[in-house]
Structures are given as C-alpha cells and as structure tokens.
Amino acid sequence: MKLSRELIDSSPLAPRLEARRVVKLPRFRAEIEALAAKLGRPVEQVTREARSRLAEMASVRSHSGLWLWDHALGPAHTRAFTVDADSAAMARLKKLNEKHSLIYLPSHRSYADVFVTSKIFSAHGAKRPRVLGGDNLRFFPLGPIARHSGGVFIRRSLGNDIIYKAMLREYFVHLVASGENLEWYMEGGRSRTGKLRPPKYGLLNYLVHAIRSGAAKDVILVPTSICYDQLHEVRAMMDQETSGAKPKEGLPWLIDYARTQQTWIGHVYVRFGEPMSLAERLAEAGEDAERNKYVVEKSAFEVFKRINLATPVTTQALATLALLTSGDRALTLDEVFRRTIPLLDYLRARSVPVSQVESLRHHHGVLETLDTLVKTNVVEGFRDGAEPVYRISPGQHAVAAYYRNSAVHWFINRAILELAMWKAANSGAEDLVKAGKQETLALRDLLKFEFIFSDRAGFRDELLVESDLFDPDWRNRIATAQLRKDMIADAPFLMAPTVLPTFLEAYWVVAERLAAHPTGAAVEEKKFIDACMSVGRQWVLQQRLTHPECLSRELFGNALKLIANRGLLVPGDATLAARRAAFARECESHVQAINELGRLGPRVAGVSKVEVARAMA
C-alpha cells in the first residue's frame, strides 16, 4: 500500500527521503562519478557522502509545514508591521512567472523579511519561492517547519568541502530546472547601517551554470526592496556593532525575538525593481572572455542598483536626517518642519519614490512622525518649556542613522557634488572644472564599497542633473572660486554635511590606525577593528569625531575592503608606510572639508545664509 505524498512530506524524515530520491537522478549520478574519479575514491563512498550533504539542504513542501509557517511563525514575526506591497508589480510578476522561474533577491533588514515576503506571495496567490538561508537558523522548531515549507538551509561557510559545494550547485540547478522560484539575500546578512551591504554573488554563479549547462533556458532576477518605518531589532543590532558579539540563534532567542514583535511599530514597504533576464545578460557578454569574467559581478550590482531605485523614502528617514544635522542640539517643531520642506521639494523634483512623506508638508505630519520616534526612544522630546523641542536621544545616533540611511542612496550624488565643489573652490587650482571632476571621482572611488554607483559615464550624467537641481544657473557661477563658494552658500539646503560625515569619519579612523600599524605585520581583521572601535570611542570623547554613529564594524570592514583594493592591507615594500600615510591624509582632508562645509553659515532652519540675512534686514 502506497503512502500518500502529503503523508510522506509531512514526516520528519521527509527532507532526508528527498535527498535519497534526488541523489539517484542522472545529473547527480554523473556529478558523483566525476567527483569519485577526481578524488580517487570509490563511487559508493562518494555517493554516501553526497547523500549526507544533500540531506542538510533538501526540503519539501507539505500542507502542515506551510500552515505552521503561515499561521504560527509568520504572525509572530509580522504582527509589528502593516505590510504595504506593490500589488500592480506583483500581478506583472505572476504573469512573467507563467513562462520563467523568478529569482527574488530582496534587501535584508530584519529576521522578519522572509515572513513579510511569504505573506505577500500568499495574499496575492503567487507561486512561492524556495527560500535559501543560513544553517544557523536550522534549530527547532524553525528549522523543521522551514524545511517542510520549502526552506533550503546552506552552511554559512563552505570551506574546502568539494562534495558539499558540488551537491549545493547541482541541487540549485535541479530546483531551477524543475521550474522552482528561488529567494535569497545577496547581502549575506542583515544590514547594520540601514543601507545595502556590498553584494555576495556566489550563488549567482550557480544560476549561470544552470543556463550555460542547458538545464534552464533563462531565469528572471527580481530586485526586491524591503523597507521599514522602524524595527524593534535595530537597537540590538547596534549593540552588536559596538560589542562585536552576536547572540546565538536558538529556541530561547526565537521566543524573545517573537515577544518583541508583538507591538506595532509601523509600515513595511515591499517594492519590486525592474526584472532582469539573466540569459540576456549572458548573451550581451557573448564569447568575450573579459566581459564574461565580470558578468556575474555586474549583474549583482545591477540588481542592487534596481533595488535602490525601487526603495521609497519614509517619513522617519527624513525626520532623522533633519535631526541628525543638529548633533545634540534640540530643534523646535518648526525648525524640523523648515529643514524638511527643501528635502521634499528635492525628492519631488527628482520623482523619487516615497511612502507617506507629503504629510511632512504640514506641522501636524511632522509632529506625528516625531511622536513615532519618541515612542521608540530614538528621539527625545522636551515639552515643559515655552514650546516642545526634539533631538536624537543620547546614545541613539546609530539607530537614527540607520533609519536615515534607508534613503541615503537618493542623496549621495548630491552630497558628493557639494563636497567636491567646496574642495575644488578651496584647492587653489587654476583649472577649477578639472579639480572638481577629480574630486568627484576621488569621492566616488573612496565610497565604492558603501554605495552602488553608475559607471563613470553614467555617474557624470547624474552629476550634471544634480548640478541643474542645485542651481539652474551653475554654468555661470563656476568661473572663480568665490563664485563657487557663493553658489554653495546660496543653496536652499546642503546634503553633504548630513550624509557624508558618518562614512568619512569611519574611514579616517581606519586609515589612521592603518598608518600606525607596522608595515611588516599582517592585519588581523577582528583585532584591528576592535582597536578602531576603541580609538574611535576615544576620539568621540575628545570631539575629534562629531558623529558617534561612525563607530560601526560594518563601516570599518568596508574601509578595509577599500584598503585591500588599493593594495595597502598586506605587508609590502618600502613604500607601503608612505602610501598608507597618504591615504590617511586623504581621509583627513575629506573630514576637514566636510566640517568646513557644515560651518558655512546659519542652517538653523534649513535655510541659507543669504535667506537668513534677508529675513533679518
């Protein structure tokens, strides 16, 4: 008597039985025989090991597993949010899914992300993807429920396990060839800064392998933006950034996490960027070896660029941006309002996607947003004086910066333009246009591990658009250094002193510590970053650093990636000390320039020096 498929899939042994079934498929048998020949080992032995590796990752879908995911785990993780999804885009994706497998590649902000997307797929009757995640979450009851609802757990580190890597690749190809949709987070973990982390694109290689091997004709990459008004877990993430210690996931952790999600905290916005055919990307590369070498990397960055383009600006992002401009000084409601209006005008001029930010054009809208931040202790309100005032709560600058950074990619080009203009105007260069171009490219290169920039030609075109928005008459105001300075002073708002200091100060700390590091000694990343955190705290206390949110292990890690990219990390020749010192001077010059720009005149209400002078006349 045959057991029903549902009964088998509901069994605790179902994933292991699925692994036994899959390992017998022709594609897997051929790969195992090739591995046995390569390793010089018996086929039977390699088959047993391959089956064991597959048992770690194989998954099934059962009605009971899906029910528990949707009705037990799901609500425990999503109760804190009102889900706002792009239904029209979801309808288009369902149509596209009729002919192609969809690969959802979301931004990663929260443990709740996967439950939010599951809720959206279920609500819209869309085909659910197999979700790939780290095996650190394979504990009871999350692991068994996930593996019975299509979840695929992958080792956090593959090491040198050749058999595991081969089985992962073939299982990946098997799922795509079977018409499954997939979902995973290319950032490799939750963002600790609120913006996208640099992509990890190893799994994309498996998709390329699936297409080039003929297992699949094409797959469609779906850039997916997940953006929250606020998150309960941000404060814990910031504590981990400071200490460097992350609590181990397990049942006690899950219970505690679910408990914190019971209080409503705002909206989560799910938006989809323009889908991208991977087969078309490969066809564009053609047979050119150099272009093929970078096709996966460029595809990953294009996905992230499209995620950014789909990410809406939230009211909390603008409110924290406005408050962070004042440091520890409290602002009145009207001051926050007046700092926000130019930003709203700028977003409208650029047709930037937004959530409910138009409410900030009214004082009551600003007040409502500030109240949401006061309730979560991100903002401190004082109401016992002549009028209420607000500031970032002590010790919460990193949390506020996290919310600001969800929108920071929309302002980065404007910020670079401002700082480059200021540095060029103060450079003493005869050719100010050339100096300005050099400064913009230098800043773009410095921040290339923080932000997704267009190629040089696209970046130049984007800066021309920013220049027109900055001052439509800019071409007539760049002939002399003084004209440039006056143009900057006349701007309705400056973005650079708000957006850039966090990153520039972080890089300066790392550069200074690297310059002090013995050139003949290897840099141990964790130990080095610990030292950067300690020195950074000292500099904050000494007020050498004015933005405490710059003390971020993630930012320090990105700075080290840049340093490695410039050939400054590993022990080197006799010129290494001088080159490291030059990099430290470069970072310090940016920090000095951004501080000068921030002191350009009254910004008490987000208005320019000229406007204040007129108001006082």
Side-chain angles (χ1 to χ4, degrees), residues 59-95:
S59 69
V60 296
R61 283 199 184 98
S62 68
H63 291 304
S64 57
L66 289 169
W67 189 93
L68 287 169
W69 182 270
D70 289 342
H71 296 90
L73 290 179
H77 286 77
T78 61
R79 189 171 288 119
F81 315 105
T82 299
V83 178
D84 183 326
D86 186 342
S87 297
M90 196 73 251
R92 292 191 294 271
L93 289 171
K94 286 175 64 178
K95 189 71 176 176

Side-chain angles (χ1 to χ4, degrees), residues 22 44 63 68 74 122 227 233 251 264 323 333 380 399 401 435 473 502 529 544 548 576 606 612 615:
V22 168
E44 294 78 9
H63 291 304
L68 287 169
S122 179
C227 181
E233 66 205 80
L251 181 57
W264 186 85
L323 288 171
L333 177 64
E380 180 180 65
V399 176
D473 194 35
T502 302
I529 288 178
R544 292 183 69 184
L576 181 60
V612 170

Side-chain angles (χ1 to χ4, degrees), residues 518-532:
T519 56
V523 175
E524 298 177 35
E525 184 171 334
K526 185 181 184 306
K527 186 176 179 181
F528 183 82
I529 288 178
D530 285 342
C532 289

Side-chain angles (χ1 to χ4, degrees), residues 551-573:
L551 303 184
S552 163
R553 293 176 184 274
E554 190 160 298
L555 295 183
F556 291 162
N558 289 343
L560 283 177
K561 290 176 184 175
L562 175 71
I563 287 166
N565 180 257
R566 292 192 178 186
L568 301 175
L569 188 60
V570 299
D573 57 28

Side-chain angles (χ1 to χ4, degrees), residues 165-398:
K165 290 178 181 178
M167 290 303 99
L168 175 60
R169 182 187 67 243
E170 292 307 318
Y171 189 57
F172 203 89
V173 172
H174 165 69
L175 292 175
V176 172
S178 302
E180 294 279 4
N181 293 342
L182 302 178
E183 176 183 345
W184 77 87
Y185 304 100
M186 282 205 300
E187 292 173 88
R190 295 171 298 157
S191 170
R192 264 54 175 187
T193 61
K195 63 176 185 59
L196 286 174
R197 308 172 89 179
K200 298 180 183 297
Y201 33 83
L203 291 179
L204 279 183
N205 285 304
Y206 296 161
L207 292 179
V208 171
H209 177 69
I211 294 173
R212 287 183 169 159
S213 68
K217 291 184 178 180
D218 193 11
V219 294
I220 304 299
L221 308 182
V222 184
T224 306
S225 167
I226 304 177
C227 181
Y228 297 82
D229 283 339
Q230 294 192 73
L231 281 167
H232 288 296
E233 66 205 80
V234 168
R235 192 167 283 103
M237 285 196 288
M238 297 305 102
D239 291 341
Q240 293 165 23
E241 276 289 274
T242 301
S243 66
K246 180 184 176 185
K248 182 176 175 59
E249 292 90 348
L251 181 57
W253 166 85
L254 180 64
I255 293 171
D256 184 61
Y257 180 83
R259 179 183 55 77
T260 65
Q261 300 304 307
Q262 301 312 298
T263 303
W264 186 85
I265 197 172
H267 289 74
V268 51
Y269 307 93
V270 181
R271 301 290 184 265
F272 301 98
E274 182 183 354
M276 184 169 73
S277 162
L278 185 55
E280 289 180 6
R281 300 282 296 190
L282 296 176
E284 289 170 6
E287 301 300 320
D288 187 295
E290 189 66 19
R291 295 181 69 183
N292 269 288
K293 181 179 178 182
Y294 297 107
V295 67
V296 171
E297 179 181 352
K298 289 185 175 181
S299 296
F301 277 92
E302 181 61 26
V303 167
F304 273 29
K305 184 177 180 180
R306 296 185 188 193
I307 288 175
N308 274 340
L309 289 173
T311 301
V313 177
T314 67
T315 58
Q316 285 77 10
L318 290 184
T320 51
L321 190 155
L323 288 171
L324 283 166
T325 61
S326 66
D328 289 329
R329 191 178 72 82
L331 302 178
T332 66
L333 177 64
D334 188 59
E335 285 176 327
V336 178
F337 168 76
R338 292 173 65 191
R339 287 179 184 231
T340 305
I341 291 298
L343 302 178
L344 294 172
D345 292 341
Y346 172 79
L347 294 174
R348 180 180 288 178
R350 287 194 55 194
S351 300
V352 169
V354 297
S355 57
Q356 304 167 36
V357 300
E358 284 300 306
S359 66
L360 300 179
R361 290 189 181 276
H362 308 281
H363 283 78
H364 66 80
V366 175
L367 180 60
E368 288 176 0
T369 299
L370 290 173
D371 282 344
T372 66
L373 293 164
V374 169
K375 287 177 181 177
T376 54
N377 298 316
V378 178
V379 169
E380 180 180 65
F382 180 77
R383 304 190 180 207
D384 294 337
E387 61 179 316
V389 292
Y390 302 88
R391 67 168 184 168
I392 303 300
S393 295
Q396 299 303 308
H397 289 77

